[in-house]
Amino acid sequence: MQDEEALKNSPDAQFRFCMSEDGMKLGVNRYFPPNGGLEPSVALLKAQVAACGVRLPVDEEAAKRIVDAVLAGDEFRGIPLVRGIPPREPREAVLAALGDLQFPVFPEDRFLRYRPAATAANGESIDGRTIRPNGSFSPKAVKVEAGENVDWDPSAGAYYSRVWGMAKIRDGVVSVIPAARITDDEVEVVGTIHHRDFRGEPITVERIEKELRDMGVLITVDLEALAAKLNQARDMNMPLPNQILVKGAHPVPGRDGWLESLVATRDETGTEDASGRLDFRDRGAYPMVVTGQIIGRLHPPTAGEGGIDIYGKTIPASAGRELKIVLGENVLLQNDGKTYASKAQGVAVLERNTLSVTQCLIVNGNVDLNSGNVKVEHGSIKVLGSIQAGFSVSAPKHVLVEGSIESATVYAGGLVEVKGGILMPDGGEIVCDGRVVANFAVNARIRAGHDVVIANEIQNSSIRTDGRLIALSGKGTVLGGEVVARKGIEINELGSELGVATSVGIIVEDAEDDDLREERIRVTQSIKKIDATLGTEPPETLLARTPEAKRPALIEVIKHREALVRRRDALSDKINSRVIRHQRELEGLTIRVKKMVHPGAMIGFCNVRKKVEKRLEATLFYWDAEKRDILGR
């Protein structure tokens, strides 16, 4: 590359250079000492490289090594002084997990390596030639950034965690979700327990305790409990979420002042049936109190007990509030200022801090699982909501319902009044000795001792009343089902244009009539059995042909038959007299339809029934005793 004679005769120290065959490395292969000129140095070496036309930078460290070797008389060949620029091959971005990220990472753990994409670039040889890369594709751009609890380590080309938690990569953001959190009240640290970390190393109680301390926990950590949880996670080979890692103590508030009931109470959980199952609906009757009975004692509030948070700070407790009892009806406060007595018979009720002894039990809201079945042994019941399906209400006086009765059972010794309607698609029944008053009735079953008054529709219902059935104030429609009254029916409309089977009738007979008929049938059957055995000949004839030893027994049978015949005749007389009386009762009883009777409706008076064949305007149906027929006008 350089003229050797010129180099030898140069006053300054001289270096002769050689280049590799591929033009990518330049080194020194000969050295010529100075002839009174400049001694060898890095600056001199760099100047001579530039004088050769090399544009690429000299490796300063390599130059120093060569100069030092020359001065020391050591070998200097083989040290690259200048390197060419190799071409850059294109490559895709690489994002590689450094472990199993289904397991947690810890602070300072490098858990994700990232190498960005690189585009292709030409290289350059020492002698200035362009060197092209082998690949030519354009890599896809991948943007990755550090999110919550994550930092980037450029020296390692990796992301590392600032906390103990689970690494997540979503939408190009690398984050770590903490494995533990402090509850809002700062009394507990709750987290997920894994038995190993992302590198496969076991997680120990010491590692978890360190993290808890780094979170600021100052109270004692139950290491044995943590160890047990770690063993469980290891044995099950699965994480344990929502575990309490450390726990302080919640404050215990003081108890509010309270009224101790001194009256036997219902079973609030239900009663056990014959099969041993617990019936949550049946909780027994509301117990009654009598005049002068002690019914309650007031207790003062208590102070609370303080707690402690995870930082060791005391959490104060609130004291209980004083209860102020208002005297309601029929309640007397004793001289001690805390004992209450009843001034009358009834049901003891505490409602909105008012203590009363009432003749009418008030049920605030619905009769449902919260209240259970409602039964009183004295007085009435008023339900401010509805009686829901499957429940029952029973009172010796009245039952008043502000809402509806829905497939429930109701018994009252007096009135049943329903502001809403009666809906019984899934069974249920109303039985009362007084009146039933409701807005409407659908699929209802009603048995009443007095009038049944329904304002609007009566649909697909079975109603039997010893009084009247009245449906006049609203629509007053009877559609489907069967309605039977003892003292008359007054409605607006009967049946429908679609011909839905609808039956209304008046029956003056009662259970005693049926009992008499059934007894007469039994007596008649007994007489027939005796006749089938002995025959129908006169007693004298039967005795004459019977051996003398058997005659006493035969005489007893004959006497029994004669008694049965007398009983049968007496029953027939009684039945006939009742029939005559019932016929007189029918006089003046009517079925009055004020607006419309649709074809297909069935009208009945006792055992006589007649189907309406054509549409009738406002019609009064009655029983004609002479014609023994149902007529209308």
Side-chain angles (χ1 to χ4, degrees):
M1 179 175 286
Q2 297 155 298
D3 181 66
E4 188 173 336
E5 286 299 323
L7 294 175
K8 287 180 181 181
N9 297 324
S10 172
D12 298 333
Q14 294 292 329
F15 297 91
R16 190 172 74 175
F17 306 104
C18 66
M19 186 173 62
S20 62
E21 292 184 4
D22 60 4
M24 297 302 289
K25 287 190 286 188
L26 177 74
V28 175
N29 67 344
R30 289 286 301 275
Y31 167 70
F32 298 93
N35 294 308
L38 296 175
E39 293 292 326
S41 67
V42 171
L44 180 63
L45 179 59
K46 291 173 65 176
Q48 291 179 7
V49 169
C52 293
V54 176
R55 296 177 304 179
L56 298 178
V58 172
D59 184 339
E60 296 271 353
E61 182 63 29
K64 186 176 183 307
R65 286 174 56 200
I66 290 172
V67 170
D68 290 344
V70 167
L71 293 176
D74 295 333
E75 179 60 46
F76 52 81
R77 286 181 288 269
I79 300 175
L81 181 62
V82 179
R83 294 179 181 274
I85 301 174
R88 186 174 66 206
E89 297 293 336
R91 67 168 184 262
E92 299 286 1
V94 176
L95 192 64
L98 300 179
D100 187 348
L101 297 186
Q102 294 185 64
F103 294 89
V105 298
F106 282 78
E108 303 301 323
D109 279 346
R110 273 65 178 167
F111 63 87
L112 187 68
R113 178 168 289 116
Y114 173 65
R115 187 180 70 178
T119 57
N122 293 332
E124 182 182 351
S125 66
I126 293 171
D127 54 358
R129 290 178 292 113
T130 298
I131 303 175
R132 301 185 182 281
N134 295 323
S136 60
F137 66 90
S138 297
K140 297 179 182 178
V142 176
K143 184 179 179 180
V144 180
E145 61 183 37
E148 293 185 4
N149 305 312
V150 169
D151 279 326
W152 169 253
D153 180 358
S155 62
Y159 291 98
Y160 66 92
S161 176
R162 296 200 300 265
V163 299
W164 166 38
M166 300 300 295
K168 300 292 181 185
I169 306 168
R170 179 176 294 177
D171 299 328
V173 177
V174 182
S175 59
V176 174
I177 301 172
R181 64 176 179 85
I182 300 171
T183 56
D184 293 339
D185 57 13
E186 299 182 340
V187 174
E188 297 174 349
V189 178
V190 179
T192 300
I193 295 288
H194 291 79
H195 69 286
R196 49 159 287 196
D197 65 12
F198 82 113
R199 289 195 178 96
E201 296 294 326
I203 295 177
T204 62
V205 292
E206 290 78 15
R207 293 178 72 180
I208 294 179
E209 183 184 22
K210 178 184 180 302
E211 298 305 319
L212 294 174
R213 298 305 182 196
D214 290 345
M215 293 173 69
V217 174
L218 295 178
I219 61 175
T220 302
V221 178
D222 189 340
L223 300 182
E224 290 185 2
L226 278 180
K229 293 179 187 295
L230 285 169
N231 290 336
Q232 183 181 358
R234 181 197 62 213
D235 295 341
M236 297 173 63
N237 194 28
M238 61 184 296
L240 304 179
N242 300 318
Q243 300 296 305
I244 297 176
L245 308 181
V246 63
K247 182 177 182 179
H250 290 92
V252 179
R255 183 176 184 180
D256 293 339
W258 58 286
L259 183 69
E260 178 187 6
S261 175
L262 300 177
V263 178
T265 59
R266 298 194 308 158
D267 190 331
E268 292 301 321
T269 60
T271 58
E272 192 174 290
D273 61 19
S275 64
R277 293 177 299 182
L278 195 63
D279 185 349
F280 295 100
R281 295 180 175 86
D282 185 6
R283 302 177 190 178
Y286 280 84
M288 306 299 298
V289 298
V290 298
T291 303
Q293 181 176 343
I294 301 299
I295 60 175
R297 182 174 291 110
L298 182 63
H299 292 266
T302 62
E305 181 180 342
I308 186 170
D309 65 17
I310 62 169
Y311 308 113
K313 295 184 297 183
T314 299
I315 306 173
S318 58
R321 294 174 296 181
E322 183 179 359
L323 175 64
K324 294 183 178 180
I325 296 294
V326 178
L327 293 180
E329 59 178 329
N330 302 318
V331 173
L332 175 68
L333 178 62
Q334 303 289 78
N335 293 333
D336 62 3
K338 61 182 180 180
T339 305
Y340 298 87
S342 171
K343 295 195 295 185
Q345 183 181 24
V347 177
V349 177
L350 179 64
E351 179 65 29
R352 296 180 181 177
N353 294 353
T354 298
L355 181 62
S356 306
V357 174
T358 178
Q359 298 293 309
C360 181
L361 175 67
I362 306 295
V363 178
N364 290 297
N366 297 328
V367 174
D368 52 21
L369 276 175
N370 289 324
S371 66
N373 297 333
V374 179
K375 180 181 180 180
V376 295
E377 298 171 348
H378 179 79
S380 303
I381 296 172
K382 185 173 184 178
V383 179
L384 300 184
S386 296
I387 305 175
Q388 296 191 350
F391 291 87
S392 67
V393 173
S394 176
K397 289 189 177 180
H398 311 307
V399 173
L400 311 175
V401 182
E402 291 290 311
S404 300
I405 297 176
E406 306 168 4
S407 297
T409 301
V410 176
Y411 169 76
L415 166 71
V416 172
E417 182 177 86
V418 187
K419 292 288 184 66
I422 302 169
L423 304 94
M424 296 181 170
D426 300 316
E429 184 178 35
I430 296 175
V431 178
C432 74
D433 297 336
R435 302 170 70 214
V436 174
V437 180
N439 190 30
F440 61 87
V442 178
N443 298 110
R445 179 178 173 84
I446 301 172
R447 303 291 179 264
H450 291 285
D451 295 348
V452 174
V453 181
I454 307 295
N456 290 287
E457 300 90 349
I458 301 174
Q459 294 184 15
N460 300 319
S461 297
S462 173
I463 300 176
R464 297 183 68 91
T465 170
D466 289 338
R468 297 177 300 158
L469 185 284
I470 302 172
L472 296 174
S473 60
K475 292 184 179 180
T477 302
V478 177
L479 174 61
E482 181 181 32
V483 174
V484 176
R486 189 182 183 94
K487 295 184 179 180
I489 295 174
E490 293 183 69
I491 60 177
N492 284 335
E493 187 173 352
L494 179 60
S496 74
E497 295 179 354
L498 299 177
V500 176
T502 306
S503 175
V504 296
I506 294 177
I507 295 181
V508 294
E509 296 180 345
D510 52 29
E512 186 176 352
D513 294 287
D514 293 335
D515 292 343
L516 291 172
R517 291 192 186 94
E518 289 178 3
E519 185 180 357
R520 185 171 65 176
I521 290 172
R522 291 196 299 271
V523 171
T524 301
Q525 289 175 344
S526 297
I527 294 172
K528 288 181 178 179
K529 288 181 180 179
I530 294 174
D531 290 346
T533 303
L534 300 181
T536 57
E537 296 174 314
E540 296 79 4
T541 305
L542 293 174
L543 288 169
R545 70 182 187 187
T546 300
E548 186 174 352
K550 294 183 179 181
R551 286 177 184 174
L554 177 60
I555 291 172
E556 293 300 321
V557 173
I558 292 172
K559 288 181 179 180
H560 178 59
R561 183 184 185 282
E562 290 173 348
L564 290 174
V565 171
R566 289 193 299 271
R567 179 57 180 165
R568 180 191 63 190
D569 294 342
L571 288 170
S572 296
D573 291 342
K574 195 169 184 178
I575 290 170
N576 291 335
S577 66
R578 290 180 68 86
V579 168
I580 294 172
R581 189 180 74 193
H582 293 331
Q583 290 294 335
R584 288 197 299 266
E585 286 184 54
L586 284 176
E587 295 177 6
L589 296 181
T590 61
I591 297 174
R592 180 187 177 197
V593 183
K594 291 183 63 177
K595 294 181 180 179
M596 186 69 62
V597 182
H598 294 279
M602 189 72 70
I603 309 296
F605 279 80
C606 289
N607 296 323
V608 178
R609 295 164 62 86
K610 179 175 286 188
K611 187 175 184 180
V612 176
E613 300 295 342
K614 63 180 181 179
R615 181 174 174 176
L616 301 174
E617 300 287 344
T619 303
L620 183 72
F621 297 96
Y622 62 96
W623 173 252
D624 189 310
E626 292 183 0
K627 297 180 180 180
R628 299 190 60 78
D629 195 7
I630 301 170
L631 302 180
R633 63 172 183 264

